């Protein structure tokens, strides 16, 4: 499979999140942090040491993390902080307010992560709302996502109102159907999507989309949609590249958001990408994690990570804007990744060798 050139080109459509920030007065602390990131990048930039070679187009380097324009005209910051996985409430924690999630998320916002990926099933929408208040960044500077479980017998309207109440917000930037597995038929997918469209038309969700959808789940929705899904949030890393799904997205102007982008440098190690990640990390003077995130971003893919480690989060903000992989490096990682298959999520819904 060739890495989609259109996805690489689509980064050109990305508009500057920083530019939109500079038009507004941001919370002073956060503003200072942004300024200091830019200075850090300028003063300690590794770009001076990097010489593009003949193997790929010269990297276009931006000293900030851009936003991507969705097909409905709204913009989504390309690097997001997730409230799932490490922050997910399970077992006895469910129903208990978790101050650590508030503190970690507020720390991430102050570190410059203005795209916040939540979900009803993470059990921490209240903590996300509290973190937004604690961080003090104006609501209109943030991009807040939540997701519905599509519980049987419950309307999307009911689920959405509950989420807004927990978040303490009067709108979200993006509302997603979390998974397709609940639907017994294409007609059920279409009916739920019509309910999602009603939420968008009410103005309480600026954009609507899906998560964990395959082509076979998207097709029925696209047949009847007035407002097609603008994004599909999927597990995406070199060991799970999904065959033709990304090309299908491109044909239908559906953006991709990657979760689990660090999989090849964390839980799927050792693997066939180890050598190239190591080599590129040394070449650019960054961590393998930075390379893994950049690999997604350089394909025009919105990238979701998470961490309770402030230094790690600050490191991504500082390093990622300071380099860019060449198209050949992006392709080399993709090729190396095809030597291994690994899926970290929804493994009971897919067969062990299902690479879609
Ligand atoms: N739609 C869905 O069904 C779905 C499913 C899964 C996830 N998501 C979303 O995507 C977000 C990110 O997913 P993810 O957590 O899988 O992303 P990820 O970026 O692949 O992994 C982040 C995790 O890796 C750990 N990590 C980072 N660098 C490491 C290193 N060098 N060694 C060991 N561990 C390291 C972090 O722990 P530290 O705290 O130590 O940094 C953190 O727990 C979630 O929070 C959620 O919002 C959505």
């Amino acid at each position: 499979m060739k890495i989609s050139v259109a996805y690489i080109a689509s980064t050109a459509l990305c508009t500057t999140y920083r530019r939109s920030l500079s038009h507004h007065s941001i919370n002073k602390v956060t503003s200072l942090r942004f300024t200091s990131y830019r200075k850090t990048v300028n003063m300690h930039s590794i770009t001076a040491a990097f010489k593009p070679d003949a193997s790929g187009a010269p990297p276009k380097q931006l000293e900030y993390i851009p936003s991507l324009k969705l097909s409905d005209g709204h913009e989504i910051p390309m690097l997001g902080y997730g409230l799932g996985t490490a922050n997910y409430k399970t077992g006895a924690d469910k129903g208990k307010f978790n101050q650590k999630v508030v503190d970690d998320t507020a720390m991430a916002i102050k570190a410059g992560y203005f795209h916040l990926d939540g979900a009803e099933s993470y059990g921490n929408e209240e903590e996300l709302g509290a973190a937004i208040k604690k961080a003090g960044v104006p609501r209109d500077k943030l991009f807040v996502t939540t997701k519905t479980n599509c519980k049987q017998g419950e309307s999307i309207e009911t689920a959405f109102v509950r989420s807004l109440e927990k978040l303490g917000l009067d709108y979200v930037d993006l509302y997603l159907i979390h998974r397709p597995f609940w639907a017994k038929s294409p007609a059920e997918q279409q009916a739920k999507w019509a309910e999602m469209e009603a939420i968008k038309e009410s103005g309480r969700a600026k954009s609507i989309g899906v998560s964990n959808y395959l082509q076979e789940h998207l097709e029925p929705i696209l047949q009847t949609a007035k407002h097609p899904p603008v994004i599909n949030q999927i597990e995406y890393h070199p060991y799970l590249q999904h065959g033709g799904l990304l090309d299908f997205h491109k044909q239908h102007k559906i953006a991709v958001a990657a979760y689990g982008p660090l999989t090849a440098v964390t839980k799927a190690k050792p693997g066939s990408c180890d050598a190239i990640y190591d080599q590129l990390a040394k070449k650019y003077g960054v961590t393998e994690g930075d390379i893994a995130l950049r690999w997604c971003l350089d394909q025009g893919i919105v990238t979701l990570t998470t961490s309770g480690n402030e230094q790690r989060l600050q490191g991504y903000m500082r390093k990622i804007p300071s380099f860019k992989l060449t198209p050949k490096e992006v392709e080399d990682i993709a090729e190396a990744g095809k030597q291994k298959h690994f899926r970290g999520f929804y493994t009971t819904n897919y067969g062990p060798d299902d690479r879609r």
Side-chain angles (χ1 to χ4, degrees):
M1 185 201 81
K2 278 193 88 64
I3 280 293
S4 159
V5 174
Y7 267 112
I8 295 168
S10 73
T11 47
L13 289 176
C14 300
T15 48
T16 90
Y17 191 48
R18 189 189 56 156
R19 198 191 313 140
S20 74
L21 285 172
S22 65
H23 289 317
H24 308 279
S25 63
I26 321 165
N27 165 301
K28 251 187 188 158
V29 175
T30 309
S31 174
L32 278 173
R33 280 176 187 272
F34 259 77
T35 311
S36 86
Y37 279 130
R38 287 201 293 276
K39 278 197 182 135
T40 309
V41 168
N42 290 337
M43 285 189 313
H44 305 296
S45 175
I46 57 166
T47 59
F50 171 63
K51 296 268 182 282
D53 61 26
S55 59
K60 185 170 175 240
Q61 287 160 321
L62 302 172
E63 55 180 66
Y64 49 87
I65 311 263
S67 289
L68 182 138
K69 195 165 192 165
L70 298 166
S71 62
D72 64 3
H74 292 298
E75 290 182 15
I76 181 168
M78 287 192 74
L79 186 62
Y81 174 84
L83 281 99
T85 48
N87 293 312
Y88 201 108
K89 279 192 206 162
T90 51
D93 293 340
K94 279 190 184 167
K96 282 191 204 150
F97 190 82
N98 186 333
Q99 188 58 39
K100 183 170 180 335
V101 173
V102 179
D103 296 343
D104 285 356
T105 306
M107 172 268 286
I109 297 171
K110 289 179 185 173
Y113 293 78
F114 285 5
H115 171 177
L116 303 161
D117 182 64
E120 177 178 28
S121 67
Y122 301 161
N124 54 25
E125 286 170 310
E126 283 175 36
E127 285 83 348
L128 173 53
I132 289 170
K133 285 198 184 78
K134 179 174 176 181
V137 173
R139 170 66 186 95
D140 65 333
K141 305 298 169 288
L142 300 174
F143 187 101
V144 180
T145 300
T146 196
K147 314 183 190 83
T148 174
N149 290 331
C150 289
K151 203 164 116 194
Q152 287 296 334
E154 181 176 81
S155 70
I156 292 278
E157 173 67 24
T158 301
F160 184 68
V161 168
R162 186 171 57 233
S163 284
L164 279 188
E165 276 171 9
K166 286 191 175 163
L167 289 163
L169 301 176
D170 53 12
Y171 74 94
V172 294
D173 297 276
L174 180 62
Y175 194 43
L176 302 179
I177 295 182
H178 205 147
R179 317 164 186 91
F181 312 121
W182 51 271
K184 308 263 181 310
S185 67
E188 278 190 328
Q189 294 279 12
Q190 290 169 336
K192 274 290 176 220
W193 189 252
E195 292 184 56
M196 293 289 286
E197 290 176 323
I199 303 286
K200 177 179 167 69
E201 285 173 3
S202 76
R204 292 168 298 159
K206 290 191 177 176
S207 298
I208 50 173
V210 294
S211 177
N212 297 303
Y213 273 48
L214 300 179
Q215 182 170 337
E216 70 192 35
H217 305 118
L218 285 163
E219 273 167 345
I221 292 182
L222 293 170
Q223 278 167 16
T224 54
K226 280 188 286 178
H227 304 286
V230 297
I231 201 161
N232 187 11
Q233 186 186 116
I234 54 175
E235 179 175 348
Y236 185 77
H237 46 74
Y239 300 147
L240 187 58
Q241 297 182 47
H242 295 280
L245 184 60
L246 268 69
D247 281 336
F248 182 79
H249 286 152
K250 188 178 55 176
Q251 280 162 25
H252 293 279
K253 299 189 170 60
I254 300 170
V256 180
Y259 68 75
L262 298 177
T263 297
V265 295
T266 55
K267 53 192 172 191
K269 258 193 160 181
S272 48
C273 282
D274 292 358
I276 189 161
Y277 273 132
D278 178 58
Q279 176 215 321
L280 292 172
K282 286 188 178 121
K283 170 178 174 178
Y284 290 107
V286 299
T287 66
E288 293 184 6
D290 295 319
I291 299 293
L293 298 177
R294 201 67 243 195
W295 182 73
C296 295
L297 293 167
D298 283 336
Q299 295 171 75
I301 291 177
V302 174
T303 305
L304 300 168
T305 188
T306 197
S307 181
N309 179 329
E310 185 167 12
Q311 281 183 333
R312 196 153 18 232
L313 285 177
Q314 289 183 344
Y316 297 146
M317 274 289 163
R318 198 170 54 245
K319 292 288 183 67
I320 287 171
S322 71
F323 76 105
K324 187 179 192 304
L325 299 173
T326 66
K328 179 162 188 317
E329 288 164 350
V330 171
E331 186 130 11
D332 287 348
I333 293 173
E335 283 303 316
K338 284 186 220 157
Q339 310 307 312
K340 172 171 171 150
H341 171 64
F342 181 93
R343 187 190 293 274
F345 296 86
Y346 305 106
T347 48
T348 53
N349 299 100
Y350 296 97
D353 197 39
D354 190 339
R355 296 167 187 232
R356 295 174 299 157

